[in-house]
Amino acid sequence: MGERRKFASGQSGPSMQTSLFPYIWRNTKWQQLYILCIVLLSMPFYFFSLDLPKVIVNLPIQGKGFDTPTATQPFLEVQTDFFGFGPTVTLFSGFELERWPYLVGLSLLFLALVCINGWFKYYINVFKGRLGERMLRRLRYDLVDRVLRFPPNHFKRVKASEIATMIKDEVEPLGGFIGDAYVQPLFLGGQAVTAMAFILIQNLYLGLIALAIVLLQGVLIPRLRQRLLVLGKQRQLTARELAGRVGEVVDGIQEIRVNDTSNWERADISSRLGRIFFIRFELYNRKFFVKFLNNFLSQVTPFLFYLVGGYFALRGTLDVGQLVAVIAAYKELPSPIKELIDWDQQRQDVEIKFTQVVEQFQPDGMLPPEVQAPLRETPPRITAPIELSRVSITDDTGARLVENVTLNLAPGEHVAAIGTVNAGGESVAEAMVRLLVPTSGRIRVGGADLQSAPDALIGRRIAYAGPAPYLPNSSIRDCLLYAVRHHPTGASNGMLSEDDLTEAIASGNTTLDVRAEWIDAASLGAESEAEIDQRLHEVLKLVDMAGDVYKQGLRGGLDPASGSELKARVLEARRALRKRLESPELGKLVEPFDPARYNPMADVATNVLFGTAVDARFSPETLPSNPNFLQLLANTELDRPLTEMGRRIAETVLELFGSLPPNHPFFEQLTFMSAEELPDYRAIAGRVAGQPDSISGEDRARLLRLSLGYIEPEHRLGLLDLALQDKIVQARQVLRAEIAKGAVDFYDPDAYNSASSLEDNVLFGRVAYGIADGPERVRALIETVLAELDMQDVVFRAGLSFAVGSGGKRLTQVQRQKLAVARCLLKKPDFAIMNRSLGALDARSQRSILEAIIDRARAEGVALFCVLTTPACASLFDRVVVFEDGGVVEDGTPAALSARERSRFRELVG
């Protein structure tokens, strides 16, 4: 129960051993002892299964003891002589059976022993498998736990891809071995010793032969495998380095392309793959030679048994039943011996892997587990200043970052730090949130040393936003609320279900449930989802990003789980917009979708599908090669007209642009094809003009791509007459009825289109071509309608659902920085540290956002320490600290520093 309480807190156990077997024993000793008892219990049954064939052959089959037709033998008789120390006592006299029933009884007994031994193996293997998987889960959890406690500087020396590879792949073989670590040698060794003892009992000479071969295998094979261990270690290291190098290629793909170094990267990867190849090739050669030798030795022994055992049988010193039993027993012997040798090989291999992995996860200066222990209660507000006393900081190379800095940041005070890049302010900001550790001096918060403070204090009472923020691969909403996910909330306390809880404790994992409610709404001053969204809107508006989120909401769609009421509101907005567009001055702005009419403002593909593709096979890019779509065109007699339209488009483009150089600016206006595609289409046009009935599938697809993208008002080639438009509308009905069920979300005036954006659902049509500022006017109309219907919150929530991508790469650098600052301010900290967090913005935008942040900070009593990239913004703050060469050169109010005759502040501000 104490162990259950310990892990229920999420706190890690003791530090990891650097040797595998002590690590296994410490965490599974009781399970190991239990399964060892099961193994020992199985050995007598295994011995009886070896001895029983001899009895079957000698007695009922050869007739020993059955001298007369009516002779009987006791079946299942149980006797004991107290291990040779007393008289023979019959515990159970058994059943007297004649020869044939006796044979049947012994055979059934043999079958029962086979079943019992099989059950023992099954139970032991399942138990080992579960034990191994639990330990693998524990090991991976322990490694990730240690990553979360790495000292900040250590992350500059390790590669994320290598760490991930070690946790995911390199420890995988350990899971299979951990269950076998103690059980396998006893189980296999017990079987081998039992079989060997049985052979020795039957015949000393045959036993000595078997023992000699086994000893030869046990000595020779492990020696030959020593080189395999070295090669295995080299293979592991080179594979890990390859993973790290591939990770570098992915992270640096932009630099690779702009510097044309892709072929150098290919050569480097090829060289690494070559090293791995030769290591693995030598590994295979040696491994299969050892396997050949082991198999050869295993087959020599039966040869000797047949020769020597047959000689003894001919002389009458060994009966046939004993010889058969010895040969049967030896058949059982090579398997455990071979598996024992394999186990020893695997033991040495995983020992090396375990040691190598653990060494990478034990850097100096790791945070103790207590610092990150879960804390349900929010720490009290910080009412004392953050004090830096003679702080000096160096990086991992020994270079000086900060030297002898003494500085105070009082509650509610707004301080700007300025200076040249890496003048010291950035390092001080990172040290205030323990991202850098001072090499000398101390940082105190309320009189307590910051280095010993729990993460809960820094994470909840001090906020930080840096120049390159981390954004999880999730939605904008989740990225913002990441700052307030400290501990599960609610009455359940975020504990797992009983089954999951049992397994989590057995595996040494935290028992906090990630599926519980983790958002600390109280810290946001909110009590409902709507109030949380309102708080998010406030902070995004503060950093001038609410508009971006609103636009993303228009371009995005509703959550698939949204109810019918919300979709009904979107349809209401659609009808309101349609009513506005009925006025004469606005009526020509939009061509609405009508199931019975061709929409001239949409391309041919849209008019045929008349919906949004759900299945990728019906996307505009794949339609020309989609067999179902091509069959539809053939059935509705559209294949020839659309192919001909594509040919005429190609000829027109070739006639107008074919003689222009590839870099001519006219090609920027050409939407059908690029300059590089002109020769291909010239060849296609020539082939089709000569024999239109024998056009190839590839040529047809290229021409259909042109015709499916054709819009008459935009391209104005006069290729779409009313008859062809009617055929397309008819094909639309066939497609809707037969081919694309479930593959296309069709346009319906009275239904919400789940595959389209909110903006497209409200518009439900296409903006007309040729009208000045048409798209802008329509977008303004949509926003007006949504505002009148009080639907901005719907659009904003849809924008909050926008997926930012891995590391926030779907956002611009400016948006990522704004989001990080908003996240910093969301949790209403006592101190907000902003370290060049708006450096991607222009000076005007920085000043505007900082003004809004300072006003909000004054209202909420939040202290600010902002390392600025635009020194001119320092005048907004109560106090300015000027850094130079790692030290503070000036400290005072903006007015006081400006008044100085020789002021570094005035030089920086200009």
Side-chain angles (χ1 to χ4, degrees):
M1 193 65 188
E3 183 184 14
R4 176 175 289 233
R5 281 196 296 268
K6 178 181 79 170
F7 286 108
S9 68
Q11 182 178 337
S12 299
S15 60
M16 292 178 64
Q17 288 95 341
T18 56
S19 182
L20 178 60
F21 275 79
Y23 179 76
I24 296 173
W25 183 254
R26 189 192 74 187
N27 293 297
T28 65
K29 56 179 175 292
W30 297 116
Q31 295 93 324
Q32 299 285 358
L33 291 173
Y34 167 76
I35 198 64
L36 290 179
C37 292
I38 299 296
V39 168
L40 293 175
L41 183 63
S42 71
M43 289 300 115
F45 295 95
Y46 180 66
F47 182 87
F48 293 146
S49 69
L50 295 176
D51 185 64
L52 195 56
K54 178 190 71 174
V55 177
I56 293 174
V57 171
N58 285 341
L59 274 65
I61 293 179
Q62 289 192 327
K64 186 177 180 180
F66 294 94
D67 300 327
T68 64
T70 59
T72 61
Q73 287 289 336
F75 177 67
L76 296 181
E77 182 182 29
V78 180
Q79 295 180 335
T80 179
D81 60 358
F82 301 98
F83 303 101
F85 294 100
T88 300
V89 177
T90 301
L91 301 178
F92 180 64
S93 58
F95 308 97
E96 292 294 329
L97 299 178
E98 295 181 355
R99 186 172 181 179
W100 167 245
Y102 193 67
L103 175 62
V104 173
L106 290 178
S107 299
L108 290 175
L109 181 59
F110 180 79
L111 179 62
L113 288 174
V114 169
C115 293
I116 292 172
N117 288 327
W119 181 87
F120 272 116
K121 285 186 178 180
Y122 169 77
Y123 182 82
I124 291 168
N125 285 331
V126 170
F127 191 92
K128 289 191 304 180
R130 184 173 64 176
L131 187 63
E133 289 303 312
R134 280 178 175 172
M135 282 298 296
L136 180 60
R137 176 179 174 179
R138 176 189 292 270
L139 177 58
R140 283 174 167 159
Y141 178 83
D142 285 346
L143 295 179
V144 173
D145 172 76
R146 300 179 80 79
V147 171
L148 293 172
R149 296 188 285 113
F150 276 178
N153 282 340
H154 189 66
F155 289 101
K156 299 176 182 179
R157 298 191 292 269
V158 298
K159 298 176 183 176
S161 53
E162 290 188 9
I163 291 291
T165 298
M166 283 187 278
I167 294 175
K168 175 182 176 291
D169 296 327
E170 292 190 19
V171 301
E172 181 75 24
L174 274 61
F177 177 79
I178 286 172
D180 295 336
Y182 289 95
V183 178
Q184 195 77 342
L186 181 64
F187 182 64
L188 296 174
Q191 287 188 331
V193 169
T194 302
M196 184 62 67
F198 180 79
I199 294 172
L200 286 168
I201 290 172
Q202 308 310 311
N203 186 276
L204 178 62
Y205 297 105
L206 295 182
L208 291 176
I209 290 173
L211 183 61
I213 297 295
V214 167
L215 291 176
L216 181 62
Q217 287 178 289
V219 173
L220 183 60
I221 300 302
R223 287 181 176 273
L224 292 176
R225 283 181 166 174
Q226 289 298 320
R227 176 61 181 167
L228 294 179
L229 296 175
V230 176
L231 292 172
K233 182 176 181 180
Q234 291 177 357
R235 179 181 61 178
Q236 180 178 343
L237 292 175
T238 52
R240 183 190 304 169
E241 290 170 359
L242 176 66
R245 193 69 186 86
V246 172
E248 287 182 345
V249 170
V250 174
D251 292 338
I253 190 65
Q254 293 181 353
E255 297 299 322
I256 291 171
R257 290 182 177 174
V258 299
N259 290 293
D260 186 29
T261 58
S262 60
N263 289 305
W264 185 90
E265 297 290 349
R266 289 186 179 95
D268 181 59
I269 295 297
S270 176
S271 175
R272 294 173 184 272
L273 291 173
R275 284 202 300 275
I276 294 175
F277 167 79
F278 286 111
I279 291 171
R280 292 175 70 91
F281 186 66
E282 184 181 354
L283 194 65
Y284 283 133
N285 278 331
R286 292 179 176 273
K287 182 173 72 173
F288 287 114
F289 174 75
V290 170
K291 189 172 184 180
F292 158 75
L293 182 61
N294 192 35
N295 289 336
F296 174 75
L297 292 175
S298 298
Q299 297 303 318
V300 166
T301 310
F303 160 75
L304 295 174
F305 278 0
Y306 287 123
L307 181 64
V308 178
Y311 171 75
F312 288 134
L314 291 175
R315 290 189 59 184
T317 57
L318 182 71
D319 60 51
V320 176
Q322 286 178 311
L323 180 58
V324 171
V326 166
I327 294 174
Y330 183 75
K331 286 184 178 180
E332 299 293 328
L333 187 59
S335 178
I337 293 297
K338 178 181 177 299
E339 291 184 37
L340 269 175
I341 295 172
D342 291 341
W343 174 88
D344 186 64
Q345 165 74 18
Q346 189 181 14
R347 176 191 63 80
Q348 298 178 63
D349 188 34
V350 297
E351 277 277 16
I352 292 173
K353 289 181 177 179
F354 182 82
T355 302
Q356 283 183 322
V357 169
V358 171
E359 284 175 354
Q360 301 300 315
F361 289 82
Q362 298 201 115
D364 295 331
M366 284 182 60
L367 294 175
E370 297 76 17
V371 169
Q372 294 183 343
L375 183 63
R376 183 175 176 82
E377 299 78 17
T378 300
R381 294 183 63 87
I382 300 175
T383 57
I386 297 179
E387 302 172 317
L388 283 77
S389 177
R390 304 181 66 82
V391 169
S392 295
I393 303 172
T394 58
D395 63 14
D396 56 343
T397 67
R400 183 189 63 184
L401 302 176
V402 173
E403 184 174 15
N404 201 25
V405 168
T406 297
L407 189 67
N408 284 357
L409 177 61
E413 188 178 20
H414 303 152
V415 177
I418 62 173
T420 57
V421 178
N422 297 325
E426 302 95 324
S427 300
V428 167
E430 292 181 4
M432 284 183 177
V433 289
R434 211 158 54 193
L435 294 180
L436 284 178
V437 179
T439 51
S440 63
R442 299 186 71 181
I443 303 178
R444 294 183 177 87
V445 179
D449 190 349
L450 184 69
Q451 297 309 310
S452 59
D455 273 6
L457 176 66
I458 298 174
R460 305 187 201 185
R461 301 263 56 107
I462 303 175
Y464 176 83
Y470 163 74
L471 298 178
N473 188 2
S474 57
S475 65
I476 291 177
R477 189 177 197 271
D478 286 338
C479 286
L480 288 169
L481 293 176
Y482 188 78
V484 290
R485 286 192 168 109
H486 311 300
H487 192 283
T489 59
S492 68
N493 202 29
M495 296 294 288
L496 296 167
S497 63
E498 188 61 34
D499 289 343
D500 289 341
L501 180 64
T502 300
E503 282 301 316
I505 293 174
S507 303
N509 287 197
T510 180
T511 55
L512 300 178
D513 187 0
V514 73
R515 294 163 295 188
E517 179 56 59
W518 282 72
I519 298 173
D520 185 5
S523 69
L524 302 178
E527 296 181 357
S528 64
E529 289 288 328
E531 291 183 3
I532 291 175
D533 287 345
Q534 179 61 32
R535 178 67 173 145
L536 298 182
H537 187 272
E538 290 173 3
V539 294
L540 288 171
K541 187 176 180 181
L542 197 67
V543 297
D544 192 29
M545 195 177 167
D548 292 349
V549 174
Y550 189 87
K551 291 176 182 176
Q552 289 290 3
L554 286 175
R555 290 192 287 266
L558 295 177
D559 189 319
S562 299
S564 57
E565 182 180 349
L566 199 54
K567 295 175 181 177
R569 294 185 67 189
V570 177
L571 296 179
E572 182 183 358
R574 178 189 296 176
R575 291 189 290 270
L577 178 65
R578 182 65 48 232
K579 189 172 183 179
R580 280 179 171 270
L581 292 173
E582 290 175 356
S583 63
E585 65 275 11
L586 300 177
K588 295 182 179 180
L589 278 176
V590 176
E591 183 70 30
F593 286 131
D594 185 339
R597 292 178 57 248
Y598 186 92
N599 191 313
M601 302 303 168
D603 60 26
V604 173
T606 301
N607 272 284
V608 177
L609 289 180
F610 202 68
T612 308
V614 178
D615 190 328
R617 295 174 301 164
F618 287 86
S619 65
E621 297 79 13
T622 57
L623 270 183
S625 56
N626 183 335
N628 293 335
F629 183 75
L630 294 177
Q631 186 62 47
L632 168 74
L633 296 184
N635 294 342
T636 56
E637 299 181 352
L638 274 174
D639 52 345
R640 282 178 173 271
L642 291 183
T643 303
E644 176 62 17
M645 180 191 293
R647 185 190 67 80
R648 293 176 62 184
I649 292 172
E651 288 183 345
T652 302
V653 171
L654 290 169
E655 181 181 349
L656 295 176
F657 300 98
S659 60
L660 298 177
N663 59 350
H664 197 283
F666 279 177
F667 285 111
E668 298 177 4
Q669 311 299 323
L670 184 60
T671 59
F672 287 115
M673 65 186 76
S674 65
E676 292 76 15
E677 292 178 304
L678 288 178
D680 294 337
Y681 277 102
R682 181 176 286 108
I684 292 172
R687 289 194 293 268
V688 174
Q691 40 187 354
D693 294 332
S694 60
I695 182 172
S696 68
E698 184 178 351
D699 286 353
R700 184 187 301 277
R702 297 286 292 272
L703 294 177
L704 282 176
R705 186 172 70 83
L706 300 181
S707 59
L708 291 176
Y710 182 76
I711 303 172
E712 184 64 58
E714 180 184 4
H715 302 119
R716 295 179 292 179
L717 299 181
L719 300 178
L720 260 176
D721 56 24
L722 293 177
L724 186 54
Q725 291 181 13
D726 289 341
K727 276 192 173 184
I728 291 173
V729 173
Q730 293 172 11
R732 171 195 304 171
Q733 306 304 329
V734 176
L735 180 79
R736 187 164 190 166
E738 299 178 7
I739 295 180
K741 291 180 179 178
V744 178
D745 196 345
F746 296 104
Y747 295 139
D748 186 334
D750 299 318
Y752 177 84
N753 190 291
S754 300
S756 296
S757 67
L758 264 175
E759 188 174 32
D760 284 344
N761 267 285
V762 175
L763 178 61
F764 200 68
R766 288 289 184 266
V767 180
Y769 288 93
I771 299 178
D773 300 327
E776 290 77 12
R777 293 170 64 187
V778 170
R779 191 169 293 111
L781 275 174
I782 292 174
E783 293 182 3
T784 300
V785 168
L786 292 172
E788 289 176 351
L789 295 176
D790 195 23
M791 290 184 62
Q792 296 101 321
D793 59 331
V794 175
V795 180
F796 185 75
R797 282 200 298 272
L800 289 175
S801 299
F802 175 75
V804 303
S806 176
K809 292 179 181 177
R810 295 186 68 196
L811 302 177
T812 65
Q813 177 67 10
V814 169
Q815 289 173 328
R816 289 197 291 270
Q817 288 193 341
K818 287 181 177 180
L819 199 59
V821 173
R823 182 172 64 186
C824 170
L825 302 173
L826 178 66
K827 56 186 176 182
K828 297 182 178 180
D830 298 326
F831 291 85
I833 314 298
M834 296 171 55
N835 183 10
R836 295 184 176 268
S837 53
L838 297 173
L841 283 68
D842 60 81
R844 183 187 297 272
S845 298
Q846 287 188 38
R847 187 175 189 89
S848 173
I849 292 174
L850 284 172
E851 286 175 348
I853 289 173
I854 291 172
D855 289 342
R856 174 62 65 89
R858 285 200 175 100
E860 296 182 351
V862 178
L864 297 175
F865 182 84
C866 299
V867 182
L868 302 178
T869 56
T870 304
C873 294
S875 59
L876 301 171
F877 291 80
D878 302 333
R879 175 176 153 215
V880 180
V881 179
V882 182
F883 286 87
E884 192 169 276
D885 294 331
V888 175
V889 294
E890 292 179 352
D891 186 353
T893 65
L897 296 180
S898 297
R900 292 183 182 180
E901 184 176 345
R902 306 179 72 177
S903 170
R904 179 60 177 154
F905 170 77
R906 291 172 59 184
E907 293 176 9
L908 291 170
V909 172

